[in-house]
Amino acid sequence: NEYFEHLPVWLLNSMCGVPAPCIENENYNYYVTGDTLVNSYTYKKIFRKGTGSISWMAMPPVAPGCNLGNYNYTNSIPQYFIRSSGKKMFLVPLPDTAEVLLYDFDLDVSDTLPVTYNNFQNDIFVTSIDSIYTPYGYRKKFLLSPNSQWTIFLLEGIGHERGFLEPLNTPFDCGFTPECFSINDTAYFPVQGPTCE
């Protein structure tokens, strides 16, 4: 589980219609803590915590259920089990027990991205490869073909332009923005700085 060493933390923002014009805006962290064994593989546990608000973005009257205001949460149980092997990440989305491919970072220029947990298209390909720095080694940055519709790049061990577990493809009535990725209390994406927690 090389990608999940050194206390990685992801910070994201989402704005989604639940349904529109009732809008939920969240800032949340994914973080890994603890191990579990499933089918003789060791997985890391992914938890989520954050803050949010729900507001009505239309003329009154406000629809029932769209008046929750501000809230905070911290998951007490994991949302996912995740592991890495070589250049691949595998995910068990709970309460399911079946493992699915999340990312394959063993890619070269012109390779096609596989269909995965968060990629539903089979015609996205790598156009070029760059890298970003971390103190634990450089991570590849894969630039993607324009037909990806939403995501322009993948970051090895980190995710993509629109998130970590979030879809690469355009979702209906929802938008995601990765704000920060940190390792051992220091951010390395999009810029170096303090922890993303």
Side-chain angles (χ1 to χ4, degrees):
N1 280 317
E2 177 182 340
Y3 290 134
F4 309 113
E5 295 174 356
H6 313 293
L7 305 174
V9 175
W10 295 259
L11 172 63
L12 292 102
N13 173 267
S14 68
M15 184 178 287
C16 300
V18 289
C22 185
I23 305 297
E24 182 177 47
N25 191 347
E26 279 194 349
N27 288 303
Y28 57 94
N29 285 131
Y30 291 119
Y31 58 99
V32 295
T33 183
D35 295 336
T36 191
L37 197 64
V38 178
N39 297 326
S40 57
Y41 290 116
T42 301
Y43 290 84
K44 294 291 186 182
K45 298 176 184 179
I46 295 185
F47 291 84
R48 181 171 158 165
K49 65 181 177 181
T51 62
S53 64
I54 296 181
S55 55
W56 183 251
M57 302 297 284
M59 296 290 293
V62 176
C66 193
N67 54 1
L68 298 179
N70 298 327
Y71 60 89
N72 299 308
Y73 66 92
T74 300
N75 293 128
S76 59
I77 58 172
Q79 288 198 289
Y80 304 92
F81 297 149
I82 194 165
R83 73 179 181 92
S84 65
S85 177
K87 298 288 185 181
K88 294 181 181 179
M89 286 184 178
F90 299 93
L91 189 73
V92 176
L94 300 176
D96 202 351
T97 56
E99 178 183 85
V100 293
L101 179 65
L102 178 61
Y103 291 107
D104 182 351
F105 297 114
D106 190 15
L107 299 168
D108 293 314
V109 173
S110 79
D111 283 354
T112 300
L113 264 61
V115 173
T116 64
Y117 174 78
N118 59 353
N119 174 40
F120 321 122
Q121 291 179 248
N122 60 6
D123 60 350
I124 302 171
F125 60 91
V126 177
T127 58
S128 63
I129 301 174
D130 200 347
S131 62
I132 66 167
Y133 168 79
T134 79
Y136 307 101
Y138 281 89
R139 301 280 183 95
K140 289 183 179 179
K141 180 178 182 179
F142 302 93
L143 299 177
L144 305 177
S145 55
N147 58 327
S148 65
Q149 295 184 16
W150 199 36
T151 297
I152 297 172
F153 60 82
L154 292 180
L155 294 170
E156 181 186 358
I158 298 172
H160 57 88
E161 181 196 13
R162 294 295 177 198
F164 174 46
L165 303 173
E166 291 67 27
L168 275 73
N169 318 90
T170 307
F172 182 70
D173 262 358
C174 216
F176 303 96
T177 305
E179 302 288 343
C180 183
F181 172 75
S182 64
I183 307 171
N184 278 346
D185 298 329
T186 302
Y188 294 97
F189 174 80
V191 295
Q192 192 165 344
T195 181
C196 301
E197 190 164 352

